[in-house]
């Protein structure tokens, strides 16, 4: 193992910024670190021009060497196939551009508004439905979060704000503090939700400063992490999640169903069990959004029905993720009905 953090050590703020700055961005370096053949390089370089490679070293350390089919590697390695056009796969599969309610705000569902707090992520997931999203124009923090305050004041029925992205924990502690100070002006808020992949891909982010910020929030906090495979949940991640659990946060997980990563029942069952060990309950298992460049991750319809049945037969209800799909114009995520 390349990483060997003390499980109970809480990192300092410089640590996560260093880990982020040191993320692997060069396909040739990633292949070399994992003893993978050069014949993957041409495709990786080409696909990385459209959506760059980015992966923290701690996440790379959880991959097996010499295995081009490693389920963690597959999530981040650019492939030549991404460049092939596939019918039905477009740049904005869930209709986000049409649902924008203001700078960085998406108001699609009753009572909750999702804010793309920043476009940045610590990892670039090849299947990401926001890979073509024009985040450059999305900086809701630019005006001291005035846009979100105005919007929520005009919509008092919204009682939950979802901080998403990109990844909201890419904001530093100071920015998070500035945001939560503004949100205190909104008496309607009953819950604050964060959707973040950082506890999984960059557990250094769960440091003393972030824990202090979370502990000081006046609302119940729901954190939805994003993990697709049990191999992602090593001891460093388990320790970070335990810190969050100790604060009393509600911890949930969302996964994306991905061919070649987690498209078999045994893996998904192990994932649910391992999440539970880490104090996290499975929430959503998303069907792939049909985003351009991600067609090779799609499962056949017949496989979905079989998987759903097997999971239902094997898992207790509270460890069974809801298999859902997001469709443009829908009132909520749509449960799969085979
Ligand atoms: C997924 C999503 C939500 C949250 O949906 P839940 O079913 O409450 O988890 C809210 N807003 C948008 C725009 C979303 O895409
Ligand atoms: S962390 Fe989430 S938003 Fe960022 S690239 Fe991965 S899937 Fe997309």
């Amino acid at each position: 193992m390349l990483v060997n953090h003390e499980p109970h050590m809480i990192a300092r703020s410089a640590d996560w910024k260093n880990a982020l700055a040191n993320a692997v961005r060069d396909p040739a370096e990633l292949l070399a670190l994992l003893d993978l053949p050069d014949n993957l390089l041409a495709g990786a370089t080409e696909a990385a021009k459209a959506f760059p490679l980015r992966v923290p070293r701690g996440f790379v350390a959880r991959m097996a060497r010499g295995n081009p089919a490693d389920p963690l590697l597959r999530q981040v390695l650019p492939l030549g196939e991404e460049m092939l056009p596939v019918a039905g796969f477009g740049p904005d599969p869930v209709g986000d551009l049409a649902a924008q309610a203001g700078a960085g705000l998406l108001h699609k569902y009753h009572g909750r508004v999702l804010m793309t707090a920043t476009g940045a992520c610590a990892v670039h997931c090849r299947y990401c439905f926001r890979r073509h999203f024009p985040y450059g124009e999305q900086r809701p923090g630019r005006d001291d979060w005035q846009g979100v305050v105005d919007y929520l004041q005009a919509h008092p029925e919204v009682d939950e704000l979802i901080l998403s992205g990109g990844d909201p924990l890419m904001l530093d502690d100071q920015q998070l503090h500035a945001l939560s100070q503004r949100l205190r002006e909104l008496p309607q808020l009953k819950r604050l939700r964060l959707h973040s992949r950082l506890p999984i891909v960059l557990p250094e982010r769960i440091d003393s400063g972030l824990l202090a910020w979370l502990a000081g929030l006046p609302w119940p906090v729901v954190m939805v992490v994003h993990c697709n495979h049990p191999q992602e949940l090593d001891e460093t991640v388990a320790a970070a999640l335990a810190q969050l659990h100790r604060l009393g946060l509600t911890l949930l997980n969302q996964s994306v169903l991905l061919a070649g990563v987690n498209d078999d029942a045994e893996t998904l069952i192990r994932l649910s069990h391992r999440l539970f060990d880490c104090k996290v309950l499975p929430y959503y298992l998303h069907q792939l959004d049909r985003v351009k460049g991600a067609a090779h991750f799609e499962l056949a319809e017949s496989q979905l029905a079989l998987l759903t049945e097997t999971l239902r037969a094997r898992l207790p209800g509270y460890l069974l993720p809801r298999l859902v799909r997001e469709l443009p114009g829908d009132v909520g995520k749509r449960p799969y009905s085979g």
Side-chain angles (χ1 to χ4, degrees), residues 12-32:
R12 287 157 300 128
S13 139
D15 294 352
W16 79 268
K17 291 188 177 169
N18 284 337
L20 183 66
N22 289 330
V24 178
R25 291 182 168 77
D26 174 9
E29 187 188 1
L30 181 61
L31 296 178

Side-chain angles (χ1 to χ4, degrees), residues 11 39 99 226:
N39 63 7
H226 173 177

Side-chain angles (χ1 to χ4, degrees), residues 256-272:
V256 181
L257 192 52
L258 299 165
V261 174
N262 58 11
D263 57 339
D264 66 294
E266 292 309 320
T267 299
L268 291 169
I269 289 165
R270 279 199 295 126
L271 175 59
S272 276

